Amino acid sequence: MIELWYGILVLMLTAYLILDGWNIGTGVVHYALSSSPEERRLNLRALGPTWSWHEVWLISWGGTLFMAFPTIYASSFGGFYFAFFLVLWSFILRGIAIEVRNMIDDGMWRSVWDAAFWLSSTALALLIGISAANLLRGVPLDRHGDFTLPFFTNFAVHGAVGLLDWFTIPVGIYTVLALGAHGASYVAVRSHDAFRARATATARRWWLAVLVGLPVITILTGCVRGGFFAHMLTSPAAWPGLLLIAGGAVGLVVGLWRVDARWLFPAGCAVLAGLCIAAGAAMFPIMLLSTTPDGPSLSAWSCAIPHATLAATLLWWGLAALLVGGYLYFVLRHASQGVDSH
Amino acid sequence: MVNPDIDFWSRVQFGFTVTYHYLFPQLTMGLALFLGFWRLLAWRTGQERYRTAARFWSVLFGLNFVVGVVTGIPMEFQFGTNWGGFSRYAGGVIGQTLAMEGMFAFFFESAFIGAMVFGEKRFSPRTLFLITLAVFGGSWLSGYFILVTNAFMQHPVGYSTAADGTLHVADFAAYLLNPWALVEYAHTMTAAVVTAAFVVASVGAFYALRGIFTEQARTFLNWGTAIGLVASLVIAFPTGDQQAKQVARHQEPALAAMEGQFTSEKGAGMNIIGQPDVANRRIDNPIYMPGVLSFLVSGSFTAEVHGLDAFPEDQWPSNIELLYYAYHVMIGLGTLFILVMALAVVQRLRGRLMTSRRLLWVLMFALPFPYIATSAGWMTAELGRQPWLVYGLFRTIQGQSPLLTSGTVLFTLIGFSGLYFVVGVLYLVLMGRLILLGPAQIHHAGTPELGGDGPAAGGPTHD
């Protein structure tokens, strides 16, 4: 039961990362992809009217984490205090930027919100990557299972660590690259003609960088968290993730070769999903790894609510998930209709 | 471990961000009801004025909704960031409804909102009505889950205590159908309708005074005042009355503080005005109605009402003055709402509403007051709950995240203040522009500026 809820949380976060990831990525490449106000208009237009729907995945993930693992929720949200408030402020800025940019027909007004859109999206991608890297590396838990993270300490990855160090910074930058690539290929499949060609070219460059960077990040992770990859290879739950990464990487190579976003986009989704699933499975059952000797790591086994409640919750959650599937169908159909009207 | 400074700043931050946030959802929920009626009438009668009204208010709704969403995300985060002690203690219970809100309400609501705001040309009147109904259902469902969460803090039911002292759900039905939640829901949702009614009527009054969009002005004024009068009455009786009785039953010290009842007495009077003097435990310069408090609480003019002196001081609400004034501001404004709306409905029945310029001015400038009344009402509920975070079980001072420092919280509070100032200015400027643009322009040009491009539109504009 606890494995199941852990898996649900990993999958919800994966869904968030792919769906809102393309919105964030669109913002990351807002200038790399578009050189004129007209192109920036097209770039933003790719988001469609349902962009805020994707944020709901994160909110629901937070609610579900709170429900199933309240101890993890309390410890991690308090520990990542500054990082999470920066995430919140970036969310607010991004939402406002997207919504108000076209409400006043003025070049300077739009320039301001273009910049805010790019800045908040890039900050979000960076913070998501840094947070994920902090989870991989571990946090300085005390004996009560609490921690607090300064922005940085000595940039080392053991002991009294900070938010930023030689591991988390590269992973953060890598996440900006990966989500930017994802966003560019998303824009490419949703646009036409010259702009589509331009988006595809950007997606190619960024995906190439992501593929080249993958071994580097893998080696860094191996250095920081011993036994991580051995655990990944031996836990069956990680195998679908590894398959997705392998299949997605092949698809990316084909897409790069053929200069075709119809390959790049699904292949990129597969790689991102595979990375989340494989990493989530390899971390299990540790949810918060400790970098200090005085505090034990927090595992899913010790932090979940009672078994009977988790089982009962599954009843309503399953019903809700079915309904969400229905809305997903509606949203994607509705959104894809929007594209035809260019 | 327990630090009163952190407790104070975390409370200020939560209080500020939640009060600010709730300015937007109350209009969302109330307006959804209006939109549902107009879409229904547009579909059944085919009349253009309902289509126009629904289209115009949908656009305002869209902007309001987005600000509600972006200011809402910090609420869920803060349970963890600032109130880790509380999350550990009660997460096994309140995590349920917060997860339900996301899974049942948010997905539902936000899936259809784009279609509602920008689907005018794509969907038939019947489909538009169903989509609006979905948005209405989603937003009102969302409100219910949040109020169940709050009701658990006000009046905990359906839980069990584990060996480590944390709370868990023992009875889902009892938790979800908490009697406190049902009354609170009726009261809060009616308040949301009051807010929307005043906003709709205020825009109608503005157009009527300027002599523009006369047809729409009449629609807005008629609907705003009619629904406004009904909702203003319902919010006092039965929902407000039931809410007060509930507080009297389960939170006696809170009721005594709200009413400024320092000593127990038979045949207690109700203070209309007067200043609470907590040091000397009395109300200075009171004007009161004898026996009325006893009657409201128990139905008899001579029944005994417990004053604050009946309870140990560590169970008294921690800020009695603020609680007393917040409650009286809410009550006073609520009474004025009934008077204003009743007057407007009388004038309408005499066929004079569109020409009663003084009344129109009043209606136009009444706009902020429902927001003030709602905020004061929530302050009453939450200050009355003090010093408890979960009433009778868990004190607020125990709820903080253990490793926070007050400087950290003050820093993020200042950050929120700055950001929310900018958000507020943008909201007012852009809302003002849309209102000045008016229903006719939005009708003829198919939401100009909003239209042609961008994600907000994204829709079927062939430019």
Side-chain angles (χ1 to χ4, degrees):
Chain A
M1 187 55 68
I2 287 171
E3 298 94 317
L4 181 64
W5 279 105
Y6 183 88
I8 285 174
L9 285 170
V10 170
L11 290 179
M12 287 180 87
L13 202 56
T14 307
Y16 168 73
L17 206 68
I18 288 177
L19 293 170
D20 200 31
W22 70 51
N23 297 337
I24 296 174
T26 305
V28 169
V29 295
H30 197 44
Y31 290 101
L33 201 159
S34 330
S35 57
S36 67
E38 169 61 14
E39 285 185 336
R40 282 193 277 281
R41 185 182 75 83
L42 289 172
N43 193 45
L44 255 162
R45 184 176 178 145
L47 258 56
T50 53
W51 68 271
S52 63
W53 199 78
H54 303 321
E55 265 183 19
V56 177
W57 283 94
L58 185 72
I59 302 171
S60 296
W61 170 81
T64 306
L65 175 69
F66 191 12
M67 181 277 296
F69 301 99
T71 313
I72 298 289
Y73 175 85
S75 174
S76 59
F77 278 51
F80 285 117
Y81 193 89
F82 273 122
F84 280 14
F85 276 97
L86 289 176
V87 167
L88 288 173
W89 295 343
S90 304
F91 266 126
I92 294 173
L93 187 61
R94 178 183 71 143
I96 297 293
I98 295 173
E99 287 297 323
V100 308
R101 179 188 184 270
N102 294 312
M103 284 203 170
I104 292 180
D105 190 16
D106 178 83
M108 252 176 112
W109 174 266
R110 281 194 297 264
S111 297
V112 169
W113 296 111
D114 278 333
F117 178 50
W118 168 79
L119 186 71
S120 54
S121 302
T122 308
L124 273 178
L126 195 64
L127 287 162
I128 288 172
I130 288 172
S131 305
N134 272 273
L135 287 179
L136 283 171
R137 179 209 57 198
V139 291
L141 289 169
D142 68 12
R143 61 198 162 80
H144 305 290
D146 288 304
F147 68 98
T148 176
L149 275 174
F151 273 109
F152 57 87
T153 52
N154 55 0
F155 297 100
V157 294
H158 298 293
V161 292
L163 205 55
L164 305 175
D165 62 35
W166 64 258
F167 174 64
T168 61
I169 295 173
V171 175
I173 294 169
Y174 187 73
T175 310
V176 174
L177 276 178
L179 291 184
H182 181 48
S185 47
Y186 170 73
V187 172
V189 294
R190 282 188 52 104
S191 49
H192 303 277
D193 311 326
F195 188 60
R196 183 188 180 104
R198 195 179 160 93
T200 308
T202 309
R204 269 188 92 210
R205 277 195 300 277
W206 286 58
W207 275 123
L208 192 62
V210 171
L211 281 180
V212 171
L214 189 57
V216 180
I217 294 298
T218 309
I219 292 167
L220 287 180
T221 310
C223 295
V224 167
R225 188 161 177 163
F228 184 70
F229 290 104
H231 192 198
M232 186 185 283
L233 293 174
T234 52
S235 52
W239 297 345
L242 293 173
L243 271 177
L244 279 171
I245 297 174
V250 172
L252 282 180
V253 172
V254 174
L256 292 175
W257 187 262
R258 293 194 177 178
V259 199
D260 190 346
R262 280 171 306 178
W263 279 86
L264 288 177
F265 178 62
C269 290
V271 169
L272 291 179
L275 285 171
C276 288
I277 292 168
M283 283 166 76
F284 188 80
I286 301 295
M287 293 185 83
L288 281 178
L289 181 71
S290 177
T291 58
T292 54
D294 42 330
S297 300
L298 294 180
S299 94
W301 303 115
S302 63
C303 294
I305 59 169
H307 204 274
T309 319
L310 282 179
T313 304
L314 203 56
L315 288 177
W316 71 252
W317 199 93
L319 174 69
L322 280 178
L323 293 171
V324 170
Y327 316 144
L328 183 66
Y329 174 74
F330 178 85
V331 166
L332 292 178
R333 213 182 57 136
H334 176 63
S336 67
Q337 280 185 354
V339 187
D340 302 333
S341 63
H342 271 260
Chain B
M1 193 88 152
V2 169
N3 181 333
D5 260 7
I6 304 174
D7 182 69
F8 176 76
W9 289 117
S10 283
R11 277 181 65 191
V12 172
Q13 175 167 290
F14 201 94
F16 169 65
T17 50
V18 80
T19 307
Y20 189 89
H21 165 63
Y22 193 63
L23 296 176
F24 305 98
Q26 59 182 301
L27 182 59
T28 298
M29 294 185 294
L31 210 47
L33 183 73
F34 279 86
L35 289 174
F37 278 130
W38 287 330
R39 284 289 178 206
L40 177 66
L41 286 168
W43 166 41
R44 301 306 304 185
T45 70
Q47 286 186 31
E48 188 55 34
R49 62 188 166 128
Y50 294 120
R51 270 172 63 101
T52 309
R55 187 186 306 121
F56 172 68
W57 284 101
S58 291
V59 174
L60 300 189
F61 182 98
L63 178 60
N64 187 70
F65 180 78
V66 166
V67 181
V69 170
V70 296
T71 56
I73 303 176
M75 303 326 305
E76 190 189 48
F77 273 53
Q78 276 181 89
F79 282 116
T81 51
N82 293 69
W83 298 99
F86 170 59
S87 297
R88 274 203 180 91
Y89 176 71
V93 179
I94 63 164
Q96 288 286 340
T97 29
L98 292 181
M100 282 180 190
E101 188 196 21
M103 292 300 297
F104 281 114
F106 284 157
F107 276 117
F108 187 41
E109 185 181 15
S110 56
F112 295 103
I113 199 135
M116 184 184 91
V117 178
F118 302 104
E120 181 75 25
K121 292 179 191 156
R122 186 179 302 162
F123 300 110
S124 69
R126 182 169 158 274
T127 312
L128 278 169
F129 167 65
L130 292 175
I131 288 170
T132 307
L133 202 61
V135 173
F136 167 78
S139 64
W140 280 53
L141 194 61
S142 164
Y144 187 71
F145 288 126
I146 288 306
L147 288 181
V148 168
T149 311
N150 182 260
F152 183 79
M153 294 158 69
Q154 301 282 358
H155 177 54
V157 291
Y159 65 93
S160 65
T161 311
D164 61 354
T166 60
L167 301 185
H168 297 284
V169 179
D171 182 346
F172 273 94
Y175 173 56
L176 289 175
L177 299 174
N178 187 342
W180 190 291
L182 301 177
V183 173
E184 195 176 25
Y185 185 65
H187 192 55
T188 309
M189 290 296 123
T190 317
V193 176
V194 171
T195 299
F198 269 94
V199 171
V200 169
S202 173
V203 172
F206 173 67
Y207 290 157
L209 284 168
R210 288 182 82 90
I212 51 175
F213 313 120
T214 315
E215 170 78 5
Q216 285 301 309
R218 184 173 289 116
T219 306
F220 298 165
L221 278 168
N222 288 351
W223 280 80
T225 54
I227 293 184
L229 178 61
V230 173
S232 299
L233 287 169
V234 172
I235 202 161
F237 190 86
T239 67
D241 176 57
Q242 285 300 316
Q243 181 74 33
K245 287 199 165 66
Q246 189 157 255
V247 174
R249 254 196 313 280
H250 301 293
Q251 298 186 353
E252 278 192 289
L255 185 85
M258 280 155 59
E259 301 283 3
Q261 189 74 30
F262 285 96
T263 49
S264 305
E265 60 180 317
K266 289 203 167 73
M270 182 183 234
N271 295 310
I272 309 292
I273 48 175
Q275 306 97 345
D277 178 353
V278 178
N280 295 311
R281 307 199 172 176
R282 62 163 194 239
I283 297 284
D284 293 336
N285 317 311
I287 297 178
Y288 65 99
M289 296 190 289
V292 170
L293 183 57
S294 287
F295 177 75
L296 284 179
V297 168
S298 56
S300 148
F301 281 99
T302 53
E304 173 159 6
V305 174
H306 286 147
L308 280 167
D309 62 351
F311 309 97
E313 277 194 44
D314 72 344
Q315 293 190 14
W316 290 16
S318 31
N319 194 333
I320 291 170
E321 296 90 339
L322 193 57
L323 173 57
Y324 172 91
Y325 285 118
Y327 173 66
H328 282 80
V329 165
M330 173 186 76
I331 298 275
L333 286 177
T335 313
L336 289 178
F337 295 162
I338 297 175
L339 292 177
V340 170
M341 285 303 187
L343 198 58
V345 169
V346 167
Q347 289 297 78
R348 178 195 164 186
L349 295 177
R350 297 169 67 203
R352 293 190 188 166
L353 182 53
M354 292 294 283
T355 50
S356 311
R357 293 190 68 86
R358 256 174 276 177
L359 182 60
L360 291 176
W361 277 100
V362 170
L363 280 173
M364 187 173 87
F365 278 112
L367 180 77
F369 292 100
Y371 289 100
I372 295 171
T374 304
S375 305
W378 273 109
M379 282 171 73
T380 308
E382 302 309 297
L383 289 165
R385 177 168 48 76
Q386 304 305 326
W388 304 100
L389 218 170
V390 182
Y391 206 85
L393 296 176
F394 188 79
R395 284 177 182 270
T396 308
I397 194 110
Q398 298 169 278
Q400 57 194 249
S401 296
L403 297 180
L404 275 186
T405 61
S406 47
T408 307
V409 183
L410 186 54
F411 177 83
T412 51
L413 173 61
I414 293 169
F416 271 113
S417 312
L419 194 55
Y420 281 5
F421 175 73
V422 175
V423 170
V425 169
L426 280 171
Y427 176 83
L428 290 175
V429 167
L430 293 171
M431 274 290 190
R433 275 177 59 95
L434 287 171
I435 290 167
L436 280 174
L437 208 57
Q441 262 77 353
I442 285 178
H443 166 50
H444 289 305
T447 63
E449 298 168 39
L450 281 170
D453 53 78
T461 42
H462 300 271
D463 41 16

